[in-house]
């Protein structure tokens, strides 16, 4: 049913066609009923007419003609009675002339008395095929008492023709067998001399007028239904146009929203489109874990690269870091040059402790990924790959929409956010430094050592930073490049004794080079 409904909504012209077909079908059905009613009425009328004419002819034959024939008076019974003074017509003549009178008085009814044995001085009757067939059948079946009928006419003028046999009575036999002009003189009582034909015409228009109130109702109702169907068709077309426009607008909005989502964090984007966050200037104070990172010696590195190479490399860096941030549920606040600012705790939070732990896991994953990328970048010819420093801090910040009614930015402000940036500034390349509160929530995840208490600009209290002690994954502490002409040593990846030995070897090599 749903599929049918959708089909008609998509093709409203079919609805209009079905309504028109239904409206046309009703008059046709009524026409068929009236045609059948007309046929039955005419059949009854012709039967009644046959019965009346037969009764008149029989009455005339038995009570008029027979009495005259058996009376010695001067009255004669002849077919040409008009030429004989005081004569009366025989029954056949009466029937012929009575039929002519009836036809003249009522064009809708015709009467014929036909026989293939007319008197000698009369014209031969021209029998139709129906009349000849009826006469033959009546004579072949002397006991046949049925009335044969035939339908005819046109679509607008219906007619019914009925035939009954004219059988010879005693008076008719006596008259015909002795009459000098009779073409047959061996008649017996019960023989079929001819047929009596009654045809009733009835134009359909007469029957239609009898149903004028019903037809008026049908015209009014049909016109109203057709008007309603046209209005529905028009409305359906308008709805179809509106649906097409809505579909196009939805596609456009989906495309635009997909593009806008690139400029918003997934959490913020989802909360806005889900109606959970109002786009208005408003902030709230929450306990967040703030992440800050930048690339060590980024300016010096960019001076050695072409802009196209730098753009490609920086986009690759941000793509990898953003993917890791999204996997851990971070809200990326912004990119500032080569720096990344992100936080945990808004718009969704799992609690201060779990937010801090998620931030630490994210920082570790980022440094691990950068170690993997470092090898790739070096193999691609980059002499000084990116190495990031990261700072983490947990504390209360103001978070929300800042700006004006015409433009706003979802971000965080506060001293605790600034502290994350300060902690990042004292981290070594590839290192992670965090505040005590962040370390306290994630101490079971990492190994860290406290640094000397320090005071940072904009922070009133003394801070004890904690440096994460990491063992590089899948990284060689000493790597050779360019056929041995360049030696790369990761001082964090070797122990103190090896570090001192390498330092002495390098200093010795440099001293020998100076002597040369």
């Amino acid at each position: 049913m749903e599929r049918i409904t959708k089909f008609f909504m998509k093709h409203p012209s079919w609805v209009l066609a079905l309504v028109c077909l239904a409206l046309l079908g009703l008059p046709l059905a009524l026409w068929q009923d009236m045609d059948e009613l007309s046929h039955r009425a005419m059949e009854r009328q012709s039967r009644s007419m046959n019965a009346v004419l037969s009764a008149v002819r029989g009455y005339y034959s038995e009570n008029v003609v027979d009495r005259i024939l058996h009376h010695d008076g001067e009255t004669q019974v002849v077919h040409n009675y008009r030429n004989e003074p005081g004569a009366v017509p025989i029954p056949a003549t009466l029937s012929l002339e009575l039929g002519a009178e009836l036809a003249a008085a009522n064009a809708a009814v015709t009467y014929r008395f036909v026989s293939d044995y007319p008197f000698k001085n009369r014209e031969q009757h021209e029998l139709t095929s129906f009349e000849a067939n009826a006469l033959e059948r009546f004579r072949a079946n002397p006991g046949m008492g049925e009335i044969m009928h035939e339908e005819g006419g046109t679509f607008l003028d219906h007619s019914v023709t009925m035939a009954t046999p004219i059988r010879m009575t005693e008076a008719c036999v006596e008259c015909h067998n002795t009459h000098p002009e009779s073409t047959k003189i061996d008649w017996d009582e019960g023989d079929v001399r001819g047929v009596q034909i009654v045809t009733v015409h009835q134009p359909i228009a007469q029957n239609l007028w009898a149903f004028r109130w019903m037809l008026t109702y049908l015209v009014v109702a049909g016109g109203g239904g057709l008007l309603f169907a046209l209005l529905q068709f028009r409305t359906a077309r308008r709805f179809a146009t509106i649906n097409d426009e809505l579909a196009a607008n939805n596609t456009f909005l989906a495309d635009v929203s997909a593009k806008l989502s690139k400029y918003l964090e997934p959490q913020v984007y989802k909360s806005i489109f889900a109606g959970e966050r109002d786009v208005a200037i408003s902030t709230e104070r929450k306990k967040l874990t703030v992440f800050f990172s930048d690339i060590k010696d980024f300016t010096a590195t960019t001076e050695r690269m072409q802009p196209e190479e730098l753009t490609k490399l920086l986009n690759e860096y941000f793509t990898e870091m953003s993917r890791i941030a999204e996997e851990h549920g971070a809200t990326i606040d912004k990119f500032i040059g080569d720096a990344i600012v992100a936080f945990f705790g808004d718009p969704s939070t799992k609690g201060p402790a779990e937010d801090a732990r998620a931030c630490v896991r994210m920082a570790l994953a980022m440094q691990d990924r950068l170690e993997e990328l470092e090898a790739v970048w070096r193999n691609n010819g980059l002499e000084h790959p990116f190495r990031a420093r990261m700072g983490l801090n947990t504390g209360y910040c103001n978070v929300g929409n800042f700006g004006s009614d015409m433009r706003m930015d979802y971000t965080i402000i506060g001293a605790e956010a600034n502290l994350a940036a300060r902690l990042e500034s004292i981290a070594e390349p590839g290192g992670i430094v965090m505040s005590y509160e962040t370390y306290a929530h994630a101490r079971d995840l990492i190994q860290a050592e406290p640094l000397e208490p320090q005071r940072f600009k904009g922070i009133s209290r003394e801070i004890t930073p904690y440096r994460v002690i990491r063992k590089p994954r899948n990284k060689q502490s000493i790597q050779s490049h360019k056929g041995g002409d360049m030696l790369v040593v990761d001082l964090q990846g070797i122990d103190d004794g090896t570090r001192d030995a390498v330092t002495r070897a390098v200093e010795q090599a440099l001293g020998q080079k100076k002597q040369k």
Side-chain angles (χ1 to χ4, degrees):
M1 181 60 69
E2 184 177 356
R3 293 178 61 185
I4 296 176
T5 303
K6 289 182 178 179
F7 174 81
F8 283 118
M9 287 295 294
K10 190 175 181 179
H11 303 86
S13 57
W14 282 83
V15 179
L16 181 61
L18 290 176
V19 171
C20 293
L21 184 62
L23 293 176
L24 291 175
L26 187 59
L28 290 176
L30 180 61
W31 185 279
Q32 292 293 329
D33 289 340
M34 287 191 298
D35 184 70
E36 179 67 19
L37 180 63
S38 173
H39 171 74
R40 294 183 180 182
M42 289 188 294
E43 188 174 315
R44 289 193 299 269
Q45 186 175 356
S46 60
R47 287 178 184 273
S48 299
M49 181 64 67
N50 265 313
V52 169
L53 292 175
S54 297
V56 169
R57 189 179 66 255
Y59 178 84
Y60 182 79
S61 174
E62 295 179 5
N63 295 286
V64 177
V65 174
D66 187 61
R67 291 174 64 84
I68 292 175
L69 291 176
H70 291 83
H71 183 64
D72 294 334
E74 297 179 356
T75 303
Q76 301 181 59
V77 181
V78 293
H79 66 282
N80 56 343
Y81 69 97
R82 296 181 185 275
N83 299 326
E84 300 292 337
V88 295
I90 62 175
T93 302
L94 174 67
S95 298
L96 292 172
E97 295 183 358
L98 183 61
E101 294 293 330
L102 290 174
N106 186 2
V109 179
T110 59
Y111 172 78
R112 277 167 56 84
F113 181 94
V114 294
S115 174
D116 53 352
Y117 292 106
F119 281 3
K120 294 178 181 180
N121 61 346
R122 288 184 179 175
E123 296 180 0
Q124 291 289 330
H125 296 162
E126 295 183 4
L127 276 65
T128 65
S129 59
F130 170 72
E131 294 169 345
N133 182 52
L135 187 59
E136 181 180 354
R137 290 183 60 186
F138 286 141
R139 285 176 176 168
N141 301 280
M144 185 176 180
E146 296 182 0
I147 299 176
M148 296 181 59
H149 68 279
E150 178 187 49
E151 295 185 28
T154 63
F155 182 71
L156 297 176
D157 186 11
H158 196 193
S159 65
V160 173
T161 300
M162 310 196 76
T164 55
I166 301 175
R167 302 185 186 278
M168 300 293 284
T169 62
E170 181 181 353
C172 295
V173 170
E174 182 179 350
C175 174
H176 280 263
N177 286 342
T178 59
H179 200 286
E181 296 183 7
S182 176
T183 57
K184 180 178 172 61
I185 57 174
D186 58 347
W187 293 102
D188 292 326
E189 188 175 349
D191 288 345
V192 177
R193 183 195 173 201
V195 289
Q196 179 176 273
I197 306 296
V198 176
T199 302
V200 179
H201 299 270
Q202 190 171 53
I204 298 298
Q206 295 181 0
N207 292 328
L208 288 175
W209 183 245
F211 293 90
R212 57 187 179 278
W213 295 111
M214 180 180 291
L215 292 175
T216 302
Y217 170 78
L218 290 178
V219 170
V220 174
L226 184 60
L227 178 62
F228 177 76
L230 291 174
L231 292 176
Q232 289 295 103
F233 175 75
R234 183 179 178 184
T235 303
R237 290 291 298 271
R238 292 182 61 185
F239 275 129
T241 303
I242 293 174
N243 287 335
D244 293 340
E245 293 176 354
L246 287 176
N249 291 335
N250 287 337
T251 302
F252 173 76
L253 290 175
D255 183 57
V256 171
S257 63
K259 294 177 180 178
L260 289 176
S261 66
K262 305 298 182 181
Y263 296 90
L264 297 173
E265 271 305 293
Q267 300 94 326
V268 179
Y269 170 81
K270 292 178 182 178
S271 63
I272 291 175
F273 279 84
E276 299 172 358
R277 178 180 291 273
D278 190 16
V279 183
I281 297 178
S282 63
T283 62
E284 53 184 328
R285 191 166 176 79
K286 283 188 174 183
K287 196 168 191 179
L288 308 175
T289 295
V290 184
F291 170 88
F292 195 96
S293 74
D294 76 349
I295 299 173
K296 176 64 176 176
D297 297 329
F298 178 74
T299 302
T301 302
T302 58
E303 291 177 352
R304 305 185 187 96
M305 302 178 65
Q306 295 298 320
E308 293 82 5
E309 295 176 337
L310 176 61
T311 300
K312 180 180 178 181
L313 186 63
L314 192 59
N315 286 338
E316 183 180 3
Y317 166 75
F318 282 141
T319 298
E320 292 293 330
M321 298 302 102
S322 299
R323 178 183 58 79
I324 295 173
E326 183 177 355
E327 289 176 355
H328 289 80
T331 300
I332 296 180
D333 184 2
K334 60 177 69 71
F335 299 117
I336 307 174
D338 62 309
I340 300 175
V341 181
F343 56 87
F344 289 77
D346 193 77
S348 60
T349 179
K350 296 181 180 179
E354 189 55 39
D355 289 341
R357 294 168 66 85
C359 187
V360 171
R361 293 191 191 96
M362 180 190 73
L364 293 172
M366 286 181 174
Q367 291 291 15
D368 291 340
R369 181 56 180 159
L370 283 174
E371 290 176 1
E372 297 172 357
L373 291 174
E374 181 179 346
V376 175
W377 289 335
R378 287 189 183 279
N379 291 333
N380 291 337
L382 183 62
E383 185 176 0
H384 300 282
F386 291 161
R387 302 193 69 190
R389 303 177 299 183
M390 301 178 183
L392 287 67
N393 178 46
T394 301
Y396 281 94
C397 301
N398 288 331
V399 58
N401 296 325
F402 294 84
S404 67
D405 291 336
M406 299 189 65
R407 181 170 179 176
M408 58 189 68
D409 186 21
Y410 175 76
T411 185
I412 57 173
I413 60 173
E416 302 300 329
N418 295 334
L419 179 56
R422 301 290 184 266
L423 293 172
E424 176 271 327
S425 65
I426 65 173
E428 298 176 353
I432 302 172
V433 176
M434 64 186 68
S435 65
Y436 172 77
E437 185 168 358
T438 304
Y439 168 70
H441 290 308
R443 65 178 64 193
D444 59 324
L445 301 178
I446 57 173
Q447 181 181 355
E449 60 180 3
L451 303 178
E452 292 295 326
Q454 301 183 37
R455 287 190 175 274
F456 297 102
K457 182 179 178 180
I459 306 298
S460 59
R461 68 184 186 278
E462 190 176 66
I463 303 297
T464 301
Y466 283 77
R467 180 177 69 87
V468 176
I469 301 174
R470 300 176 56 251
K471 291 184 179 181
R473 299 192 318 166
N474 302 324
K475 180 178 179 182
Q476 297 179 356
S477 299
I478 302 176
Q479 300 180 18
S480 175
H481 297 275
K482 297 183 179 180
D485 292 339
M486 183 176 69
L487 187 67
V488 179
V489 179
D490 183 7
L491 297 178
Q492 292 185 352
I494 58 178
D495 56 27
D496 293 340
T498 305
R499 185 184 297 113
D500 293 340
V502 171
T503 301
R504 288 193 298 273
V506 171
E507 290 175 350
Q508 182 179 358
L510 291 175
Q512 292 176 356
K513 185 175 182 180
K514 289 179 179 179
Q515 292 177 1
K516 294 180 180 180

